[in-house]
Amino acid sequence: MKQDILGLKFDNVTMEEALAIGEGFLSGDHPAVVVTPNAEIGYDASVDDELRALLNQADLMLPDGAGVVLAAKLRKTPLKGKVAGIDFARNMLSVFARRGTKLYLLGSKPGVAEQAAEKMKEIAPGLVICGTADGYFKDEAPVIEKINASGAEALFVCLGAPKQEKFMFAHREELPAVRLMAGLGGSLDGFAGNVKRAPDWMIKCQLEWFYRLCKEPKRIGRMMRLPKYVFKAAGTRR
Ligand code: UDP
């Protein structure tokens, strides 16, 4: 079931349900797109019709963060819980390994996807990573060609939002062998270990945003969209 939160149609699912849907996409007949908006993107989408329409084309929309879950509660359209993109990705690795699904990693600075690939193979032994490319390219056509030549069936697109969503929707029809593609922001940095996640207790207390802010104070500008999003959710009727 979808839950409309300030115009974005989130799937109201647990992690287990999200994984089952993700695995279903692998046996589907078209390239399914998974998006994982957080409160910052939720706010941008609430004031940008084009971005909202783009994101709402997704086959699966997961709430990446406590801000979205809080906004959903305030709208009286609660969600079952947060399903962070990086956690969904980590769990899908075992599904790919079990099924022999070939995974391609696109995004982050040169070298990061390769480091992430090594870590992912440790997390899910037997995982097949069929290719990697950094996210700093000028022309998209050669990138699409490389992905197709690799035989990729799953694709993690980690270019930051909304660049990764624009990329996925612009090219989904040109990636006929891909069954699942997911926009996952800075997740490759996370897997590579370049960006440490908050300690478990902070994640449990919904304080991961605070940890990220302390680590990267320059995020303050973009993070101000989080309270704006929550206030908007509390105040508007939409
Ligand atoms: N990135 C990229 N190409 C670009 C811009 C950004 O590959 O042209 C990568 C960047 O290196 C980082 C990720 O996209 O790994 C964005 O991470 P961030 O944490 O800013 O995104 P979020 O998860 O907040 O969407």
Side-chain angles (χ1 to χ4, degrees):
M1 196 189 66
K2 300 266 183 190
Q3 211 68 294
D4 185 313
I5 299 147
L6 296 180
L8 281 188
K9 295 179 175 35
F10 282 91
D11 285 272
N12 185 17
V13 290
T14 61
M15 175 62 81
E16 286 66 33
E17 289 164 341
L19 293 172
I21 294 170
E23 181 158 12
F25 290 156
L26 299 175
S27 345
D29 58 4
H30 75 290
V33 175
V34 182
V35 296
T36 62
N38 58 14
E40 296 162 13
I41 304 308
Y43 180 77
D44 288 350
S46 77
V47 294
D48 180 338
D49 296 347
E50 220 172 285
L51 177 60
R52 194 164 63 244
L54 185 84
L55 289 167
N56 279 334
Q57 291 176 55
D59 298 272
L60 180 64
M61 187 183 294
L62 301 174
D64 180 288
V68 179
V69 175
L70 176 58
K73 203 169 166 186
L74 292 167
R75 304 296 307 141
K76 304 217 168 19
T77 49
L79 290 166
K80 289 176 182 169
K82 169 171 110 170
V83 184
I86 190 166
D87 296 330
F88 172 75
R90 179 178 293 104
N91 289 324
M92 280 307 294
L93 296 178
S94 310
V95 177
F96 298 149
R98 167 162 52 77
R99 296 177 59 111
T101 303
K102 293 185 199 159
L103 172 66
Y104 194 100
L105 305 178
L106 173 66
S108 294
K109 301 204 173 102
V112 176
E114 290 75 7
Q115 275 175 291
E118 289 314 309
K119 292 280 163 60
M120 287 176 177
K121 287 190 238 168
E122 284 169 25
I123 294 169
L127 177 69
V128 182
I129 306 234
C130 61
T132 54
D134 71 74
Y136 295 85
F137 44 85
K138 274 204 203 89
D139 298 328
E140 298 187 346
V143 177
I144 300 296
E145 244 171 67
K146 264 179 71 181
I147 297 169
N148 280 328
S150 75
E153 297 154 311
L155 174 64
F156 286 172
V157 186
C158 304
L159 307 172
K163 195 172 178 181
Q164 62 203 14
E165 286 76 15
K166 289 184 179 159
F167 180 93
M168 291 192 290
F169 289 114
H171 298 295
R172 68 193 298 190
E173 304 307 333
E174 298 157 36
L175 295 162
V178 172
R179 285 290 163 269
L180 180 155
M181 56 182 108
L184 296 166
S187 296
L188 293 182
D189 297 311
F191 280 110
N194 299 342
V195 176
K196 290 243 174 327
R197 277 193 89 180
D200 280 348
W201 70 267
M202 281 187 112
I203 296 177
K204 280 205 189 87
C205 297
Q206 318 280 21
L207 286 172
E208 191 166 17
W209 61 272
F210 183 65
Y211 180 85
R212 289 188 83 175
L213 182 60
C214 294
K215 286 275 173 189
E216 291 176 78
K218 66 177 189 309
R219 294 179 79 95
I220 187 73
R222 40 189 289 200
M223 285 191 78
M224 283 315 289
R225 289 175 294 170
L226 192 148
K228 279 191 189 168
Y229 178 72
V230 172
F231 278 121
K232 193 164 179 180
T236 61
R237 290 191 163 272
R238 190 183 163 148

